[in-house]
Amino acid sequence: MPPGHQAGRAIAADEFVTQRHGDESETVPALPRKVDALDAVDVGQRLDEFDLLTNLGSGAFARVFLARQTSMQRLVAVKISENHGTEPQTLAQLDHDYIVRVFDQRLLPERDLRLLYMQYLPGGTLLDVLHKARKTTWTPQRSGQLLLDAIDEAMEAKGEIRPTDSSVRAELAGLSWPETVAWLGRRLAEALDYAGRHHVLHRDIQPANVLLTAEGVPKLADFNISFASRSPDADRAATAYFGGSLSYMSPEQLAACHPADATTPGDLDTRSDIYSLGVMLWELLTGRKPFPSASSIDSAGATPTSQQTTQGEHSTLDTMLAHRTAGITASAIADLPPDTPPTLRRILLTCLAPNPDDRWSTGAELAQQFDICLNPPARNLVDPPPGSWRYRLRPWSILIMELGVVVPNLLAAYLNYYNVRSLVIDDLSRQAQQRFDLMWLIVTLVSFPVGALLILYIRRYLVLVPYGLRKGKTYDAAILARARTDAILLGDRVFVVLSGIWLVCGAAWAVAMAIDIGGIPARGYLYFFASVVVCAAVAVAYPFFLVTFYAIRCLYPTFLPHGEVTGADSEQMRRLHDRSVRYLAVAAAVPLIGVAGATFIPLDEIGSVIVAIRILCIGGVVAFMGAYWLFRKVESDLTTLEGVTSNRSQPIREP
């Protein structure tokens, strides 16, 4: 931890003052502390079995040193503070790749101090990175190398040697600056999710409390004012040690600091930490916070007298609350770098929503969104540019889907009519021909609307839910999961509906011809059913790819920004890919079946359908090429979406 690190804050909710450190503000206890014992600790001393080597940082309540643990002959970070707070008990529950690992504590009763020794990380903190980013003029070439340079500077100051041949550092160097911020955010979100699942809140997310390894991996530290919501004394712990940096607090955490507000520290949950993470990442991305800091608010007015201190603190809180509840302004959004992906902008704005219900509810949801942001094909699917065809066509989903089904079926129905008319009906009387035409017209006029209504019914969630989302309506997880499943299975369900309609219509035609027309030879029925099979394959196989392509590329991604997606979706996608291969085989077989069927037609009759056979063969080849192109697009989209919904992201392990 670098000099200036404000470690170990503890405060009663109704007894606080604001203490400034540079341009930052934090709440600190109004009661005096015992300074002698803590201030007497310095470099060169031995406490217990720890030789204090270097001062890494100090704050209102603690000092942090680089120390050598003599019994283990290893370097550790030692945090020395007054003997209060719940940090050791809290961190004992947490063992995660993106949370600083605490080894143990020692009590020094003769000085009434506590010594907490933990994993030593040589890469400095995100505060160092923030300072360097502010000093660096933005250019389109700004990249993750800036993060690595800040780490190298921090390591050089400690006499450390940077690692070589690091795949993690190579990955970071290749990221843009917004992608680097997302890369860091994804790992910190996973840390918050882990802590949240253990019912632990941090309550002091800020750059100084994020340590960095030599490879750039962030680790969340300083849980001194956190609390475990399921501990036996959770209600007391929530308020007994409450504080943090005002500039990074969520609206509800600021309200809990305000004596006139009914909100209490015990009302906070992970969404408050997510808000603070959003403020920190916004500041890292733009170089400034999305809201005025406490110091800038105070500097706008006169310095209060001692009698006005309490009133001034309340006024500062009121002003900060007003800024946060008003939301992010257009001028703050204008601070975002031009190369910020729309996905990252959406993620951060959701983190910074004034109402906790409008934020990501868990760190896992947030981590999944960062996965989307870090995957360019996925973020283009989920957040297409406003001018893209996917974005413009979303409101027209009903019309597009119906045309994708109706047009191939109309062509197949006409082809079937032409074949049966030429091979079977033209040899019958004129009256029989007229009755056949009437039957064909009636069946077509009935079956097409019925099929359209059935398809509209099975995709009702794909119509209603996106419309509601565009209007700002919220849906529970079950409804969103149902809509996502409907999008994945839409092509299969359309296939079943169309197959059923062709089967019913074919049987109805055959029965109607036998009853109403009569006199048709057995060979005529054979031709009839062969034609129905070929045309049904045309009507069913090709729409599957059109429907699936549109559902996966344009409909399914609209649901991803609205809640965590479980691994069940990725499993459904893998099965869809396997089925798509079989559908592709059917599409490839259509012209072959047409040619094979033509060999059974007598030579003196083949002339009447030779045009239809040519159309079927040539059209089948062209349609298959289109189906194959759509298949490859669907395959690519499924691979992309499966990668960000599988929940199989692997953490970076310690070297």
Side-chain angles (χ1 to χ4, degrees):
M1 301 182 189
H5 174 66
Q6 296 83 42
R9 287 162 293 281
I11 180 169
D14 58 349
E15 298 172 333
F16 71 92
V17 296
T18 299
Q19 177 173 306
R20 294 185 180 85
H21 302 266
D23 61 347
E24 307 296 337
S25 297
E26 61 176 350
T27 56
V28 297
L31 300 178
R33 66 174 178 88
K34 300 184 292 291
V35 297
D36 294 340
L38 186 58
D39 292 345
V41 178
D42 207 347
V43 172
Q45 297 180 8
R46 171 175 288 190
L47 296 181
D48 199 84
E49 61 168 335
F50 299 94
D51 293 328
L52 305 185
L53 305 177
T54 305
N55 187 359
L56 296 178
S58 61
F61 299 101
R63 301 186 67 184
V64 183
F65 297 89
L66 173 63
R68 180 176 299 279
Q69 185 181 11
T70 56
S71 64
M72 301 293 292
Q73 287 299 301
R74 63 179 176 183
L75 293 177
V76 294
V78 171
K79 178 176 177 180
I80 303 169
S81 64
E82 296 179 34
N83 186 20
H84 58 57
T86 59
E87 186 173 23
Q89 292 82 358
T90 297
L91 290 178
Q93 307 175 50
L94 307 180
D95 182 12
H96 192 267
D97 291 274
Y98 305 132
I99 295 176
V100 173
R101 184 171 293 110
V102 172
F103 299 129
D104 204 349
Q105 69 170 332
R106 302 289 169 84
L107 298 180
L108 308 175
E110 69 280 2
R111 303 193 189 191
D112 195 24
L113 294 177
R114 182 174 63 203
L115 184 152
L116 193 69
Y117 61 103
M118 64 194 78
Q119 178 183 18
Y120 167 60
L121 300 175
T125 72
L126 278 186
L127 188 59
D128 301 323
V129 179
L130 178 60
H131 288 162
K132 186 171 184 61
R134 284 173 172 169
K135 296 175 183 176
T136 306
T137 304
W138 181 89
T139 65
Q141 289 73 39
R142 177 185 278 193
S143 68
Q145 187 60 46
L146 187 150
L147 171 67
L148 299 177
D149 291 343
I151 292 171
D152 292 344
E153 290 176 7
M155 293 180 63
E156 184 179 353
K158 300 183 181 74
E160 301 280 352
I161 301 175
R162 72 177 185 179
T164 58
D165 299 327
S166 168
S167 60
V168 178
R169 290 175 67 98
E171 178 188 356
L172 279 169
L175 297 179
S176 68
W177 184 242
E179 288 174 332
T180 303
V181 173
W183 190 91
L184 294 167
R186 191 253 177 269
R187 283 148 184 81
L188 294 173
E190 188 176 318
L192 288 183
D193 179 65
Y194 178 84
R197 285 187 281 111
H198 287 75
H199 314 289
V200 173
L201 305 182
H202 190 283
R203 305 197 300 186
D204 193 20
I205 306 294
Q206 57 170 302
N209 288 340
V210 178
L211 309 188
L212 297 167
T213 69
E215 294 190 315
V217 179
K219 291 179 181 280
L220 195 56
D222 202 348
F223 281 74
N224 194 55
I225 59 173
S226 66
F227 83 102
S229 61
R230 290 196 176 181
S231 64
D233 58 348
D235 292 337
R236 182 196 64 80
T239 56
Y241 305 103
F242 183 63
S245 174
L246 289 173
S247 298
Y248 296 92
M249 285 186 182
S250 65
E252 58 271 25
Q253 190 172 356
L254 282 174
C257 290
H258 202 302
D261 197 286
T263 305
T264 67
D267 296 330
L268 306 182
D269 57 26
T270 300
R271 294 173 297 180
S272 180
D273 282 346
I274 286 175
Y275 187 97
S276 299
L277 177 61
V279 175
M280 184 181 70
L281 295 177
W282 187 287
E283 184 179 27
L284 198 62
L285 180 62
T286 66
R288 65 184 70 183
K289 298 181 182 68
F291 307 106
S293 63
S295 56
S296 64
I297 291 172
D298 283 349
S299 64
T303 302
T305 64
S306 58
Q307 290 81 8
Q308 296 171 324
T309 300
T310 301
Q311 181 180 355
E313 296 293 348
H314 294 175
S315 176
T316 298
L317 286 177
D318 289 334
T319 304
M320 297 182 78
L321 271 170
H323 283 300
R324 281 157 173 72
T325 53
I328 307 299
T329 63
S331 60
I333 294 176
D335 290 336
L336 293 172
D339 59 342
T340 302
T343 303
L344 181 57
R345 168 178 163 164
R346 172 180 58 79
I347 291 170
L348 294 180
L349 289 176
T350 303
C351 289
L352 297 172
N355 187 346
D357 292 337
D358 296 330
R359 300 175 207 149
W360 314 112
S361 59
T362 67
E365 286 187 26
L366 179 55
Q368 192 170 71
Q369 295 300 315
F370 281 126
D371 280 337
I372 294 172
C373 184
L374 291 167
N375 186 323
R379 71 183 183 222
N380 287 334
L381 286 175
V382 176
D383 296 284
S388 69
W389 67 267
R390 292 193 303 277
Y391 185 85
R392 294 196 300 266
L393 293 182
R394 280 178 176 177
W396 302 94
S397 63
I398 298 176
L399 178 61
I400 293 172
M401 296 289 290
E402 296 296 343
L403 288 176
V405 172
V406 169
V407 171
N409 274 267
L410 277 176
L411 294 175
Y414 180 77
L415 182 63
N416 183 53
Y417 167 80
Y418 181 86
N419 289 338
V420 175
R421 194 74 157 71
S422 301
L423 290 173
V424 181
I425 304 301
D426 282 351
D427 294 335
L428 303 180
S429 65
R430 184 172 182 80
Q431 182 181 11
Q433 294 176 20
Q434 291 175 345
R435 298 181 73 82
F436 172 80
D437 290 343
L438 179 61
M439 283 189 298
W440 183 87
L441 181 62
I442 292 174
V443 170
T444 300
L445 292 179
V446 171
S447 61
F448 271 77
V450 169
L453 289 175
L454 286 174
I455 292 173
L456 185 60
Y457 176 77
I458 64 176
R459 63 185 295 267
R460 62 193 183 279
Y461 280 86
L462 299 178
V463 176
L464 299 176
V465 175
Y467 177 80
L469 292 174
R470 289 196 298 271
K471 296 298 181 181
K473 187 176 180 181
T474 58
Y475 295 92
D476 60 32
I479 295 295
L480 292 172
R482 169 68 183 272
R484 295 195 306 269
T485 297
D486 285 354
I488 296 173
L489 300 180
L490 184 60
D492 296 279
R493 291 171 176 174
V494 168
F495 180 93
V496 171
V497 169
L498 295 179
S499 299
I501 288 178
W502 274 88
L503 179 63
V504 172
C505 290
W509 266 327
V511 172
M513 286 191 300
I515 295 176
D516 195 45
I517 299 176
I520 299 177
R523 186 183 61 184
Y525 286 107
L526 179 62
Y527 290 162
F528 171 79
F529 283 114
S531 177
V532 168
V533 169
V534 173
C535 294
V538 172
V540 171
Y542 300 121
F544 168 83
F545 292 101
L546 289 169
V547 170
T548 300
F549 171 75
Y550 187 72
I552 296 300
R553 175 157 291 196
C554 298
L555 295 181
Y556 181 88
T558 63
F559 305 117
L560 291 183
H562 301 283
E564 184 182 2
V565 179
T566 65
D569 282 38
S570 60
E571 180 60 31
Q572 288 180 334
M573 291 179 189
R574 286 191 289 272
R575 291 199 294 264
L576 174 59
H577 176 268
D578 294 339
R579 293 194 300 274
S580 297
V581 175
R582 293 193 288 269
Y583 287 121
L584 188 65
V586 173
V590 167
L592 299 178
I593 294 174
V595 172
T599 61
F600 293 93
I601 301 175
L603 293 178
D604 57 341
E605 297 180 7
I606 198 171
S608 60
V609 292
I610 190 65
V611 174
I613 294 174
R614 288 171 179 169
I615 292 174
L616 178 64
C617 293
I618 297 174
V621 171
V622 173
F624 173 74
M625 292 173 62
Y628 181 75
W629 182 82
L630 291 174
F631 166 77
R632 293 305 302 266
K633 294 295 183 182
V634 170
E635 183 180 45
S636 175
D637 291 347
L638 288 175
T639 300
T640 297
L641 294 172
E642 193 271 334
V644 297
T645 61
S646 61
N647 295 333
R648 292 183 302 180
S649 299
Q650 295 298 320
I652 295 174
R653 300 295 177 185
E654 295 294 329

